[in-house]
Amino acid sequence: MRRPSAQPVAPTAYSSESGRTYRLDRLIGNGGFGEVYLATPTPGSGLPTQVCVKISDRISGWLREAYFAELLTREQRALRVFDRFAEISGGQMRYCLATEYAEHGDLGVWLSAHGAQSERFVRREIAAILGTLDALHRGQALHRDLTPFNVFVCKGEQLKLGDFGIATHQLNPRGVTADFFNLFHVPNEIAWGRVRRWQKRDDVYQIGLIAVMLLRGDITRPMRSKDVRGLPCSDHLKEVIHCCLGSRGKRYESARELIAALRQRPKEPRLGRINSISGKRLSFTGFLGRPRSEAIAAARKAGAIVQSKPGKLTDVLVRGQPNAQQIAGRDAGSKLIEVRRLAAQGHKVTVIAERQFWRLAEPRR
């Protein structure tokens, strides 16, 4: 009589920290970080019935993940780490983390199944993960790897931040050396090597990309700041995303600034009045009733200093008819967005209509 063949014994990992044994049921991912298994903890008291065990042979990433998991233990939108331990297997040391199981996988996998999301969902979930990122930024830390592969979709389709393997603290406001990054999810100036410092605003850039991916339902298409106008969302959210992805010096400088921008819709620009443009630094936006070259010549003749775009020294912005191709609707061209940004920093720029400009530039005698 033949004996039934014995079932293969699943490999295990033992934690000397908690005294638990983790049965590694199934390999669900691998890469440069190591391997990730769906596992069953024993004893299971206090833990979910299934967890993920992440195993690496590199101590540096493991240390970072263990440290930042402890730092963010109270943050609801950080992927939870239940256990951290090291053990010897086959004569080699392996470093293990027992983490929360994201039942829907990472954001890329989830979007491929569910497609584009509503603006309401995007606002809610982006605001939620920004709370966790803000906790990092307030502690002078940077994530540096906010890609769709490190944002996980957990129970209730809640987004959570994970994989802090290259997160680090910054010792000064200049940031840290940009030596590790995913080439397809970083600002161009870093990807091309023109800027070698990673700052909080670069984490914010990656959050802007995540918002775009959620709205599009696609993580593969490239995104440029000028493509924002075509996104399926409100003008306000377009403006916020543009300020995440636009030129480096004009991005939100931290998660807290981005949170504030999402909560408060900008006021519509109101036209002001001035008595003279002589000695004023002046810029134009929109379509004018007369050629722009004539307006520039008239402004200079009246004693104004003409600038190609508004900046901290600008006094007046002359507003013509809005361009249908503006970034975020009638009241949110790039120059109007910049004027609002300057106003928030305490730099007042008076917006006047074209009609008033011509009265000041060519007064009747």
Side-chain angles (χ1 to χ4, degrees), residues 269-272 274 276-277 280-292 294-296 298-300 304-310 314-322 326 335-336 339 349-361:
R270 294 183 178 180
L271 297 178
I274 56 176
S276 171
I277 60 173
K280 304 286 188 182
R281 296 180 184 272
L282 177 147
S283 185
F284 296 93
T285 185
F287 293 115
L288 303 180
R290 291 159 64 175
R292 181 73 64 92
E294 285 187 23
I296 291 173
R300 287 174 175 163
I305 302 168
V306 179
Q307 298 176 315
S308 60
K309 55 187 177 181
T314 304
D315 301 302
V316 179
L317 179 68
V318 180
R319 187 180 184 188
Q321 292 299 313
Q326 286 183 162
K335 292 180 182 178
L336 289 170
V339 165
V349 179
T350 303
V351 181
I352 65 172
E354 181 189 2
R355 186 175 179 180
Q356 184 185 359
F357 164 75
W358 286 115
R359 284 203 303 265
L360 296 172

Side-chain angles (χ1 to χ4, degrees), residues 60-303:
S60 57
W62 176 79
L63 280 173
R64 284 193 174 103
E65 291 216 54
Y67 166 73
F68 283 106
E70 188 71 25
L71 187 71
L72 299 172
T73 187
R74 295 184 179 180
E75 295 297 324
Q76 296 297 314
R77 292 307 185 97
L79 200 68
R80 296 178 64 192
V81 174
F82 303 113
D83 202 355
R84 49 197 68 74
F85 57 95
E87 67 169 2
I88 297 176
S89 177
Q92 292 186 330
M93 184 67 75
R94 61 180 187 175
Y95 304 95
C96 308
L97 294 170
T99 72
E100 178 181 0
Y101 172 48
E103 59 185 67
H104 298 290
D106 64 41
L107 185 61
V109 171
W110 185 75
L111 283 178
S112 65
H114 292 79
Q117 300 301 303
S118 68
E119 179 174 342
R120 183 178 181 181
F121 177 89
V122 174
R123 282 178 173 272
R124 184 186 73 228
E125 293 304 305
I126 289 295
I129 61 176
L130 276 172
T132 299
L133 185 60
D134 180 48
L136 273 181
H137 285 180
R138 283 185 283 113
Q140 298 304 313
L142 307 168
H143 189 287
R144 299 201 294 169
D145 201 16
L146 293 165
T147 71
F149 312 111
N150 296 329
V151 176
F152 298 92
V153 187
C154 299
K155 185 177 180 180
E157 296 188 330
Q158 289 189 340
L159 303 189
K160 294 192 177 185
L161 298 185
D163 198 343
F164 295 87
I166 64 171
T168 187
H169 284 286
Q170 62 177 23
L171 297 181
N172 61 65
R174 293 182 60 242
V176 300
T177 303
D179 47 2
F180 297 104
F181 50 81
N182 184 319
L183 190 63
F184 300 104
H185 296 92
V186 298
N188 287 337
E189 63 270 17
I190 289 180
W192 296 341
R194 293 203 305 263
V195 172
R196 298 298 299 166
R197 307 293 294 182
W198 190 279
Q199 299 175 320
K200 295 175 184 178
R201 70 185 71 197
D202 300 307
D203 280 349
V204 168
Y205 174 93
Q206 293 187 316
I207 290 290
L209 284 182
I210 294 294
V212 170
M213 293 171 190
L214 286 166
L215 289 167
R216 286 176 164 181
D218 180 14
I219 69 169
T220 59
R221 279 189 290 166
M223 181 67 191
R224 299 165 298 178
S225 59
K226 67 180 182 180
D227 297 330
V228 169
R229 65 173 66 94
L231 292 175
C233 61
S234 66
D235 288 344
H236 174 227
L237 187 54
K238 287 178 184 177
E239 181 174 340
V240 170
I241 292 173
H242 181 265
C243 290
C244 292
L245 306 181
S247 60
R248 185 175 187 82
K250 299 177 183 178
R251 290 181 200 140
Y252 301 117
E253 294 188 1
S254 67
R256 176 155 293 189
E257 284 193 12
L258 178 50
I259 291 170
L262 281 170
R263 286 176 176 170
Q264 185 173 0
R265 295 178 182 271
K267 296 179 181 178
E268 293 187 8
R270 294 183 178 180
L271 297 178
R273 297 190 66 83
I274 56 176
N275 297 321
S276 171
I277 60 173
S278 178
K280 304 286 188 182
R281 296 180 184 272
L282 177 147
S283 185
F284 296 93
T285 185
F287 293 115
L288 303 180
R290 291 159 64 175
R292 181 73 64 92
S293 58
E294 285 187 23
I296 291 173
R300 287 174 175 163
K301 187 175 180 180

Side-chain angles (χ1 to χ4, degrees), residues 29-51:
N30 56 47
F33 56 82
E35 298 176 332
V36 178
Y37 291 87
L38 187 62
T40 302
T42 304
S45 57
L47 291 187
T49 55
Q50 287 188 314
V51 298

